[in-house]
């Protein structure tokens, strides 16, 4: 941090700027506070010269919308967006956005302080990033916002702070005719080959970040800088220093072919099955980093709002190397600090020991810029790394020529991260002597050798600025190699390839702007520790980088073992509506969702919403009523909807059709027939008293029934009296098996009355009802199966029930035991699934399997690899019965149904809470044709399955 400068804005909406937090290629970030509420924010303000470019303005807003959409989890929620008030001078008012402040360290600074990070820290870091990427990729977009300076380490987990190329840019400058040039700090193999950026590109960069975090080095450093682009495109990454447990996963992320890289959800599941928040719980940062984060938080708390009317001194207050804050790091390129660098093209250089207008420490050791912000001492501070995100630091001993001289222009290019961007302020300073005692001739970027070295940041962009001096514990920076003149003009890079710019993952595009723009990739023969070149996005004045809501079908790709296939489509339920209560498939055409406020239908072919209907709110089930209507059972009525537009065609109110019965949840369905329970309260008259006795009171007694109803003919088939359940009286039934002559029904234990539980002696019962008349045929108990025991039956008269830790098979009509399969110690079986000659099983030990129906022989048993204990996963078979899918609160796992081969895993971030539960809802799966619909709260994915 450093004190505010004279030309810095002082107000951002309701926020008052307190200090400069850091500088980026396209923006300056400020620590600010709402004086009314005391809320502290991190304000990102676009550089004025860039904000004046229309395409930059559109892109900036698009990335701000992306941040708003991703808010929650590992993304700090945006608080306000607008234009700054109180900007000094007559210059353009910068665009800005404010997000909640969280004390955190950039990844490169953390590595500079602590060196290579422990495996657990890398897992939390990678899982948190992957969870956020998964949400972005679900929309069909790529993030392009990963860099060591945009990924932060907070006390409770990682944070992502950039949501597109602008936020992660190594440099950005306004060109003639309102064009914008953005140079990214990295290249991926597909960019070097001139191919489009995709979600898989984010995974490549994630692999780079994880390798850097785990080793303190980058996987493409060996060899001369000018060959870096070739190494990225052709060489295998150097991962010997990566922990063995992480090496295979990181290598898969760094695969040359994008189709070979895992999905973000797969990476998240591999790194932390319990989620990043779960793995980070109890503290995840090493002690030096935890202390640095706590120190930063204390310093921000100590910032005071500037006194009104105070004199504003140009430049930052401080003594050399302090930025006016005792023990804090100096932003590279800040004014008046020995050894700092300016951006190429800055107006002039000078030597100085102090910044213009610098003050000395005041009484009591408190240093302050009296006209701006007061900084208070907060105790000793750990060493800090002030290496800029896009530092070009070449391996030791690599010599490189100086960059070409850039002539000053009327409109200067914006400074690289860490360089001064204050109008009228000198931005470049002569460097001290280089490692031999003499300064580098004609090159302002050289710096003295550090007494000790630490890993350098993994990203470097051609034309970016090295650090002003050796960072605390950091490496000795070397001069940037010159960019060869290419198609882009002098200093523009090497071979230039024109591609469509991937749209920013924002909710809506600018309607007045074109949807196309150009991305020019500069595959320069220059390299930093990772990339060797940068990506140059040239945006014309009439073009935009705003996103579109279109969802083109993804290209088919080969998958790795364990990697989920690309979904055919994704659908996200609107945040303005409550999450769906139920989901059902209608005629292989619609996914019907019911919620608290309405029902909605999603086209199964495209994943687009077709209609919504408030009349069908709180529906508990959606079924096909023949071939032309959708049946929805709501708490008060039955509805029949038109599949085309959701219009109500028929309506049957329970009070009118069922004699004022309170209808309970559906017990099951088969074809056009549904079964459900219902009840009402009747008055039982007190018996006539004997002579001389007082008459007793009438009693209100619940009366319950089991009903069958035809939803095509809209007709009740039969009604059978059954014992009333726990108050208010309606028992809850579940159909365990349907046979040609009868149906077998279990009563859910929660609806049993205390008297029924005592009478059954803690054993569960199964009732048989005649299919045609509803007559109760018999009630039986099976071994020691409890009322809570999972039970299912088949059409051949066999019942399968969980008994203790085992699964037992019984003859349904006689309760005779047939066979027993031992379960995992300490585990219980969930509801089995019968298909062909097999019974598929699920256990609370997070195992699934298959046994032969006839003999009970165990065919296979596999773990989902989700940490136990927990509820048994819910299992579903694909329509072909070739794929068994297990869903729980952590992930979805697919197995080959016949052999148990683990096919793939899928995990999505859902609604993560960094300080709370990792997930808010379990996964659910529906299958239709060759598609499995995976739901987690608001998100739906259509995966192809065998």
């Amino acid at each position: 941090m450093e004190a505010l400068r004279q030309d810095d804005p002082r107000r951002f909406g309701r926020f008052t700027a307190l200090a400069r937090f850091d500088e980026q290629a396209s923006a300056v970030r400020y620590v600010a506070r709402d004086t009314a509420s005391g809320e502290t924010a991190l304000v990102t303000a676009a550089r004025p010269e860039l904000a004046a470019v229309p395409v930059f303005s559109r892109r900036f807003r698009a990335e701000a919308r992306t941040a708003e959409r991703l808010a929650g989890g590992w993304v700090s929620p945006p608080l306000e967006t607008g234009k700054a008030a109180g900007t000094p001078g007559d210059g353009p008012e910068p665009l800005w956005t404010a997000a909640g402040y969280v004390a955190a360290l950039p990844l490169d600074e953390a590595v500079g302080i602590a060196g290579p990070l422990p495996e657990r820290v890398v897992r939390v870091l990678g899982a948190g990033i992957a969870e956020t990427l998964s949400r972005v990729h679900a929309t069909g977009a790529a993030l392009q916002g990963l860099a060591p300076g945009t990924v932060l380490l907070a006390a409770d987990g990682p944070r992502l702070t950039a949501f597109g190329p602008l936020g992660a840019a190594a440099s950005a400058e306004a060109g003639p005719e309102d064009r914008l040039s953005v140079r990214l700090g990295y290249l991926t193999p597909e960019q070097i080959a001139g191919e489009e950026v995709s979600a898989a590109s984010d995974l490549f960069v994630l692999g780079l970040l994880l390798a850097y975090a785990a080793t303190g080095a980058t996987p493409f450093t060996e060899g001369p800088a000018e060959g870096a682009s070739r190494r990225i495109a052709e060489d295998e990454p150097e991962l010997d220093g990566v922990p063995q447990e992480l090496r295979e996963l990181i290598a898969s992320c760094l695969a040359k072919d994008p189709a070979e890289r895992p999905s973000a959800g797969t990476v998240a599941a591999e790194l932390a099955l319990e989620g990043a928040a779960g793995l980070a719980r109890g503290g995840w940062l090493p002690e030096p980093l935890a202390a640095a984060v706590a120190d930063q938080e204390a310093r921000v708390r100590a910032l005071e709002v500037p006194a009104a009317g105070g004199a504003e001194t140009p430049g930052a207050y401080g003594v050399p190397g302090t930025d006016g804050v005792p023990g804090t790091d100096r932003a590279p390129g800040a004014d008046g600090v020995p050894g700092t660098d300016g951006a190429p093209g800055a107006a002039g250089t000078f030597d100085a020991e102090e910044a213009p207008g610098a003050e000395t420490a005041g009484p009591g050791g408190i240093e302050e810029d009296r006209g701006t912000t007061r900084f208070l001492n907060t105790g000793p501070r750990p060493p800090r790394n002030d290496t800029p995100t896009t530092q070009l630091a070449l391996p030791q001993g690599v010599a490189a020529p100086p960059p070409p001289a850039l002539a000053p222009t009327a409109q200067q290019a914006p400074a690289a991260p860490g360089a001064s961007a204050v109008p009228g302020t000198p931005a470049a300073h002569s460097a001290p002597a280089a490692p031999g005692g003499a300064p580098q001739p004609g090159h302002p970027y050289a710096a003295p050798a550090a007494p000790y070295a630490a890993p350098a940041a993994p990203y470097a962009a051609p034309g970016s600025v090295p650090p002003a001096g050796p960072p605390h514990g950091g490496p000795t920076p070397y001069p940037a190699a010159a960019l060869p003149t290419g198609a882009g003009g002098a200093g523009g890079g090497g071979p230039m390839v024109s591609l469509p710019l991937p749209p920013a993952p924002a909710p809506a595009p600018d309607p007045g702007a074109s949807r196309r723009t150009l991305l020019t990739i500069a595959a320069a023969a220059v390299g930093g520790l990772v990339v060797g070149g940068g990506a140059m996005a040239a945006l014309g004045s009439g073009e935009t980088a705003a996103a579109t809501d279109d969802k083109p079908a993804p290209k088919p790709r080969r998958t790795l073992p364990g990697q989920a296939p690309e979904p055919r489509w994704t659908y996200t339920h609107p945040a303005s509506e409550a999450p769906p209560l139920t989901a059902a498939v209608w005629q292989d055409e619609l996914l019907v969702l019911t919620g608290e406020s309405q029902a909605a239908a999603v086209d199964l072919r495209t994943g687009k919403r077709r209609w919504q209907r408030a009349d069908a709110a709180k529906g508990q089930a959606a079924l096909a009523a023949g071939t032309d209507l959708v049946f929805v059972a709501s708490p008060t009525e039955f509805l029949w909807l038109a599949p085309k537009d959701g219009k109500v065609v028929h309506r049957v109110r329970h009070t009118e059709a069922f004699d004022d019965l309170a209808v309970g949840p559906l017990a099951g369905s088969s074809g056009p027939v549904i079964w459900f329970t219902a009840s009402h309260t009747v008055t039982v008259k007190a018996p006539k008293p004997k002579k001389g006795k007082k008459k007793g009171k009438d009693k209100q007694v619940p009366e319950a029934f089991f009903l069958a109803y035809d939803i095509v003919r809209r007709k009740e088939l039969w009604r059978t009296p059954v014992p009333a359940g726990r108050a208010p009286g309606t028992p809850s039934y579940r159909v365990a098996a349907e046979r040609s002559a009868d149906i077998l029904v279990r009563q859910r234990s929660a609806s049993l009355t205390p008297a029924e539980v005592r009478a059954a002696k803690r054993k569960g019962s199964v009732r048989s009802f005649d299919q045609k008349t509803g007559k109760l045929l018999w009630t039986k108990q099976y071994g020691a199966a409890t009322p809570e025991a999972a039970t299912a039956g088949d059409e051949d008269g066999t019942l399968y029930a969980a008994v203790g830790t085992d699964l037992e098979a019984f003859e349904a009509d006689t309760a005779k035991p047939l066979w027993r399969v031992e379960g995992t110690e300490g585990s219980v079986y969930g509801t089995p699934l019968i298909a062909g000659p097999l019974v598929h099983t699920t256990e609370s030990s997070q195992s699934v399997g298959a046994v032969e129906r006839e003999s009970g022989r165990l065919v296979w048993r596999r773990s989902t690899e989700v940490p136990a204990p927990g509820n048994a996963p819910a299992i579903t078979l694909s329509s072909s019965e070739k794929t068994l899918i297990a869903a729980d609160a952590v992930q979805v796992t697919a197995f080959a149904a016949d052999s148990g081969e683990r096919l793939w895993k899928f995990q999505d971030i859902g609604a993560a809470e960094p300080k709370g539960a990792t997930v808010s809802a379990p996964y659910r799966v529906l299958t239709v044709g060759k598609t499995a619909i995976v739901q987690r709260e608001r998100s739906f994915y259509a995966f192809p399955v065998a």
Side-chain angles (χ1 to χ4, degrees):
M1 287 188 299
E2 64 172 289
L4 296 174
R5 301 175 184 174
Q6 182 175 5
D7 292 341
D8 283 333
R10 295 307 195 264
R11 294 282 296 178
F12 297 94
R14 61 188 173 95
F15 295 101
T16 300
L18 302 179
R20 278 182 164 234
F21 187 79
D22 63 9
E23 294 189 29
Q24 300 173 325
S26 61
V28 178
R29 294 197 290 189
Y30 300 89
V31 176
R33 184 171 295 140
D34 180 353
T35 54
S37 65
E39 185 174 26
T40 303
L42 191 63
V43 175
T44 302
R47 296 186 182 276
E49 67 272 22
L50 298 179
V53 180
V55 67
F56 177 92
S57 176
R58 289 193 294 269
R59 185 80 196 191
F60 185 92
R61 291 192 178 96
E63 293 187 13
R65 290 195 300 267
T66 301
E68 183 176 358
R69 187 188 58 175
L70 294 175
W74 308 118
V75 177
S76 296
L79 303 176
E80 193 172 334
T81 301
K83 289 188 175 182
T87 304
D90 299 326
E93 295 181 343
L95 299 164
W96 62 272
T97 181
Y101 166 77
V102 176
L105 299 174
L107 174 60
D108 51 359
E109 184 174 336
V111 172
I113 293 173
L117 304 179
E119 179 187 338
R120 177 168 175 257
V121 176
V122 177
R123 285 184 177 275
V124 173
L125 175 70
I129 298 172
E131 288 168 356
T132 304
L133 288 178
S134 179
R135 298 166 63 194
V136 176
H137 297 170
T139 68
L143 182 68
Q144 291 187 271
L146 297 181
T150 66
V151 174
L152 309 183
L153 282 64
D156 56 4
R159 293 291 190 280
L160 192 58
T161 62
F163 307 96
L166 290 187
S171 66
E173 60 184 80
E177 300 180 359
D178 284 339
R179 296 185 70 83
L180 175 69
S181 295
V182 175
R183 187 177 296 277
L184 302 180
Y186 57 86
L187 284 178
T188 62
E190 55 267 29
Q191 287 176 301
I192 294 172
E195 299 173 0
E196 291 188 9
V197 174
S198 66
S201 304
D202 286 336
L203 271 298
F204 186 88
V205 182
L206 177 58
L208 293 174
L209 284 176
L210 296 183
Y212 169 66
T215 65
T218 56
F220 296 104
T221 59
E222 293 297 327
E226 58 271 17
S229 295
R230 179 198 58 77
R231 292 197 299 274
I232 291 172
E234 301 175 5
D235 292 359
E236 291 302 313
E238 176 55 58
L239 300 176
D240 288 346
V242 175
Q244 184 66 40
E245 295 78 7
L246 301 175
R247 195 173 302 165
E248 183 178 352
L249 178 63
I250 293 177
S252 67
C253 291
L254 296 174
K256 306 301 181 187
D257 184 355
E260 299 287 347
R261 297 171 200 157
S263 68
T266 298
V267 172
E270 291 288 342
L271 290 172
L273 285 174
E274 66 271 53
L279 188 57
R281 192 169 291 121
W284 70 294
L285 293 178
E287 181 57 34
L289 300 185
V293 170
D295 172 73
Q296 181 193 111
E297 185 174 20
R299 285 187 288 134
V300 168
R301 281 200 309 267
L303 294 176
E304 295 183 357
V305 176
E312 295 180 350
T313 305
Y317 170 82
V319 293
T322 66
D323 299 336
V325 186
T328 60
D329 31 308
R330 176 71 165 164
D335 304 313
V337 180
T340 56
D341 312 317
T349 65
F350 69 97
D351 293 309
E353 289 300 320
E354 293 183 331
E359 303 282 350
T360 57
I366 297 176
E367 302 171 342
E368 60 182 85
D369 177 351
R370 290 171 171 72
T372 53
T373 303
R374 174 176 296 177
F375 296 85
L376 301 181
N377 285 320
T378 56
R381 296 167 177 82
R384 307 296 289 265
N385 186 336
D386 58 359
T387 308
T389 298
T390 53
Q391 169 189 332
L392 181 62
L394 303 183
Q396 294 283 345
V398 176
L406 298 177
T409 61
Q411 184 179 16
Q412 293 293 344
S420 171
V422 180
T425 304
H429 312 282
S430 60
Q440 294 273 354
H443 184 23
Y445 304 117
Y452 49 94
Y459 289 86
S464 59
V465 184
H472 300 290
T476 302
Y478 282 77
L483 288 175
T485 301
M496 309 296 282
V497 183
S498 296
L499 299 173
L501 179 69
D510 183 342
S514 166
R515 290 177 180 264
R516 300 286 289 179
T517 187
L518 287 180
L519 172 66
T520 309
I521 301 298
V526 182
L529 284 182
V530 173
V531 295
M536 174 79 76
L539 309 181
S541 60
E543 300 160 336
T544 180
T548 167
D549 288 333
D550 294 340
K551 297 180 181 177
K555 297 178 181 178
R557 62 180 175 88
R558 184 168 66 259
T559 58
L560 298 173
Q563 178 181 347
E566 282 291 324
R568 293 194 169 108
W569 52 257
T570 62
Y571 167 77
T572 302
H573 205 60
S576 58
E577 302 175 17
L581 298 172
T582 67
V585 170
W586 182 85
Q587 295 286 49
D588 297 355
E589 180 180 336
L590 295 179
L591 175 66
V592 181
L593 311 176
T594 63
E596 288 288 344
S597 58
Q598 63 185 8
V602 176
D603 194 309
L604 281 175
R605 295 166 298 177
T606 65
K608 295 182 180 295
R609 179 184 278 203
R610 185 179 291 186
W611 50 258
Q612 57 273 344
R613 178 65 58 178
D615 290 348
K618 300 182 180 180
Q620 57 173 292
L623 302 169
T627 58
D628 55 356
L629 291 176
V630 179
F631 170 81
V632 175
S634 81
T636 59
E637 59 188 353
F638 292 159
L639 298 171
W640 287 260
L641 310 179
K644 181 179 180 180
D645 55 12
K647 181 180 178 181
V648 177
V649 179
H650 304 290
R651 185 191 306 267
V652 172
R653 291 183 172 85
H654 298 164
T655 55
E656 298 173 356
F658 305 116
D659 305 323
D660 293 325
L661 290 177
V663 174
L666 296 191
S669 65
S670 177
V673 179
I674 61 173
W675 297 286
F676 57 92
T677 54
S679 69
H680 62 180
T681 301
V682 296
T683 302
V684 178
K685 295 288 186 180
K688 185 177 180 180
K690 295 181 180 180
K691 186 176 181 180
K693 297 293 184 181
K694 186 178 180 181
K695 183 180 179 182
K697 293 182 179 180
D698 296 343
K699 293 182 179 180
Q700 300 294 312
V701 178
E703 193 173 66
F705 301 89
F706 187 44
L707 298 88
Y709 187 88
D710 190 313
I711 61 174
V712 173
R713 295 186 289 164
R714 302 193 298 283
K715 178 182 178 181
E716 182 180 324
L717 301 179
W718 46 256
R719 183 186 306 189
T720 298
V722 294
R726 189 183 295 268
T730 304
S732 180
Y733 283 2
R734 182 181 67 82
V735 174
E738 180 191 7
R739 304 191 292 184
S740 58
D742 65 349
I743 55 174
L744 306 184
V745 176
R746 283 290 305 274
Q747 184 172 348
R748 292 181 172 89
S749 60
S751 69
L752 290 169
T753 65
E756 288 177 313
V757 174
R758 287 193 299 270
K761 297 181 180 179
R762 292 294 303 160
K763 291 184 179 180
S765 300
V766 173
R767 295 182 174 97
S768 170
F769 294 90
D770 187 278
Q771 281 263 35
K772 294 183 178 180
T773 66
K775 179 183 177 181
L776 177 62
L777 301 178
W778 48 256
T779 301
K780 295 185 183 298
Q781 294 178 330
Y782 295 85
T786 66
E788 299 84 8
T791 307
D794 60 28
E795 69 280 0
D796 296 332
T798 304
L799 201 71
Y800 310 92
V803 180
T805 61
D806 302 333
L807 181 70
E808 287 195 48
F810 301 88
E811 282 187 358
D813 293 318
T814 65
K816 175 184 175 182
L818 299 176
W819 48 256
R820 174 193 293 260
V821 176
E822 292 185 358
T824 307
E825 183 179 356
S827 180
V828 295
Y829 277 92
T831 303
L833 193 62
I834 297 96
L838 298 178
V839 177
H840 294 284
T841 63
T842 175
E843 299 179 63
S844 61
S845 61
Q846 308 308 306
S847 295
V848 297
V851 299
E852 291 181 350
R853 282 173 64 178
E854 290 294 328
S855 64
R857 183 183 70 86
L858 181 64
V859 178
W860 60 267
R861 178 184 284 157
R862 298 284 186 276
S863 170
T864 63
E865 299 182 344
V866 171
N871 293 329
I875 53 177
T876 309
L877 278 168
S878 62
S879 298
S880 66
E881 299 184 352
K882 293 181 179 179
T883 304
L884 180 71
I885 305 172
D888 51 51
V890 176
Q891 68 183 31
V892 174
T893 313
F895 300 86
D898 56 350
S899 65
E901 177 189 0
R902 191 180 294 105
L903 302 177
W904 49 263
K905 299 178 185 178
F906 173 75
Q907 185 185 56
D908 181 28
I909 178 57
E913 295 291 343
K915 295 185 178 180
T918 304
V919 296
S920 61
Y923 291 92
R924 294 190 288 188
V925 179
L926 294 169
T927 57
V928 51
K930 295 184 177 181
T931 300
I933 310 296
V934 174
Q935 177 197 0
R936 196 187 196 202
E937 202 170 52
R938 299 179 184 278
S939 300
F940 294 80
Y941 304 84
F943 288 107
V945 292

